């Protein structure tokens, strides 16, 4: 039998995007849903997960004062710091990892999840599955099989390839790994000038095997106005069945 794994679990929450596709004029994570901002919904759900022992919120410079004010008002028990992000998600996550290095309980084998601030309907069971996947496989992220056939096309609109749909997954977050290899991979990719759009891609590029676990349909990323309306509808329809399974 394997020994119990007591490594701490930390969550980095990149929320430093501009949210231009929402066309709201402000960062989508500061828009309100049921009387509180999107980022509050996200952090509430992460903070109350029983395995999470620390959180870092990564904000755009322009939103830093607003995010700090929210953090002060909400006083989440596990929020360690609010920091400024960078030009890309990859730079923002790297800043988060560098800030996490100063946490007194962060060790090389600590488990680090990265969860997009814009996925405000994250459920506890998806978080637990990703943590279990990292314990078992080293690197893991939440994903859903794609529903639509995916085509690769040329710049002038002609189809180049139709990959086998049964092998395609749409990535969600959380995604994560142990602290030391994750930091090393982020530093190496950034130093090499390679900019990747998710954490598993960074770990893949650094040569690590990467495992996928089931995500949740509700855990979509708020990108457009329609997404905001769907999130509102879901929140109005009451608690999710899985919420009852893990006590806060
Ligand atoms: O741009 P995309 O939708 O992939 O962003 C995913 C997450 O990364 C969002 O929560 C966004 O706020 C965050 N992000 C960031 N820093 C950036 C760009 C995006 O923290 N420079």
């Amino acid at each position: 039998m394997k020994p119990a794994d007591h490594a701490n679990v930390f969550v980095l929450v990149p929320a430093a995007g501009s949210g231009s596709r929402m066309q709201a004029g402000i960062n989508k994570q500061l828009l309100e849903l049921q009387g509180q901002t999107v980022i509050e919904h996200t952090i509430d759900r992460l903070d109350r997960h029983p395995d999470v022992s620390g959180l870092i919120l990564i904000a755009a410079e322009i939103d830093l004062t607003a995010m700090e004010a929210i953090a002060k008002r909400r006083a989440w028990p596990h929020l360690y710091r609010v920091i400024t992000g960078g030009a890309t998600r990859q730079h923002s996550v790297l800043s988060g990892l560098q800030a996490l290095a100063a946490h007194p309980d962060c060790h090389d084998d600590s488990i680090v999840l990265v969860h997009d601030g814009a996925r405000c309907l994250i459920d506890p069971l998806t978080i637990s599955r990703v943590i279990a996947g990292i314990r078992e496989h080293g690197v893991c992220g939440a994903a859903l099989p794609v529903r639509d056939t995916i085509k690769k096309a040329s710049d002038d609109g002609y189809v180049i390839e139709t990959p086998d749909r049964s092998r395609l997954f749409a990535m969600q977050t959380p995604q994560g790994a142990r602290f030391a290899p994750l930091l090393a991979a982020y530093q190496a990719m950034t130093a090499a000038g390679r900019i990747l759009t998710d954490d598993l891609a960074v770990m893949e590029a650094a040569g690590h095997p990467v495992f996928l676990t089931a995500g949740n349909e509700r855990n979509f990323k708020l990108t457009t106005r329609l997404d905001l309306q769907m999130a509102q509808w879901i929140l109005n329809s009451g608690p999710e069945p899985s919420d009852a399974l893990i006590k806060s």
Side-chain angles (χ1 to χ4, degrees):
M1 210 165 86
K2 282 188 187 174
D5 181 352
H6 296 298
N8 285 329
V9 176
F10 295 97
V11 191
L12 307 179
V13 186
S18 62
S20 49
R21 285 167 290 181
M22 189 68 80
Q23 295 180 320
I26 60 166
N27 183 339
K28 59 192 171 186
Q29 282 146 123
L30 292 171
L31 294 173
E32 287 204 357
L33 282 174
Q34 276 197 337
Q36 64 175 21
T37 56
V38 166
I39 195 67
E40 286 177 80
H41 285 282
T42 307
I43 300 221
D44 275 350
R45 286 158 179 252
L46 298 167
D47 186 67
R48 67 171 178 247
H49 190 283
D51 292 347
V52 170
S53 54
L55 287 155
I56 294 182
L57 172 58
I58 307 162
E61 203 162 356
I62 193 173
D63 300 325
L64 192 64
T65 310
M67 296 272 192
E68 280 174 342
I70 291 171
K72 194 166 174 211
R73 176 169 54 78
R74 295 301 313 273
W76 287 289
H78 299 107
L79 185 68
Y80 169 54
R81 286 189 62 192
V82 182
I83 64 160
T84 312
T88 65
R89 183 184 185 278
Q90 183 172 318
H91 288 96
S92 295
V93 174
L94 178 57
S95 299
L97 288 164
Q98 287 162 339
L100 184 58
H103 191 293
D105 297 329
C106 177
H107 306 293
D108 282 357
D109 68 346
S110 293
I111 288 175
V112 182
L113 305 182
V114 183
H115 182 69
D116 291 338
R119 294 183 190 271
C120 66
L121 298 178
I122 179 64
D123 62 291
L125 293 181
T126 300
I127 299 170
S128 296
R129 279 193 296 274
V130 175
I131 293 171
I134 296 169
R135 290 205 164 106
E136 182 81 8
H137 304 278
V139 187
C140 183
L144 288 179
V146 298
R147 297 172 173 192
D148 301 320
T149 296
I150 305 286
K151 305 264 186 210
K152 187 171 173 185
S154 63
D155 286 344
D156 50 1
Y158 287 97
V159 170
I160 300 170
E161 193 190 339
T162 305
D164 172 8
R165 190 170 67 182
S166 68
R167 298 224 164 263
L168 295 179
F169 292 85
M171 292 311 301
Q172 299 188 335
T173 64
Q175 302 184 2
R178 303 275 177 179
F179 175 72
L182 191 60
L183 176 62
Y186 262 94
Q187 284 173 328
M189 289 311 130
T190 310
R194 289 191 65 184
I195 300 301
L196 299 160
T197 52
D198 76 356
D199 315 289
L200 294 197
V202 170
M203 292 306 274
E204 279 168 70
H208 296 274
V210 162
F211 186 75
L212 300 184
T213 192
N216 184 323
E217 282 191 335
R218 291 169 180 243
N219 183 29
F220 55 87
K221 183 167 63 179
L222 294 196
T223 307
T224 63
R225 286 252 150 221
L226 180 63
D227 296 332
L228 202 65
Q229 287 163 357
M230 284 201 304
Q232 187 72 67
W233 183 86
I234 289 169
L235 286 167
N236 287 344
S237 10
E240 294 139 48
S242 68
D243 270 349
L245 298 176
I246 292 190
K247 290 198 187 81
S248 57

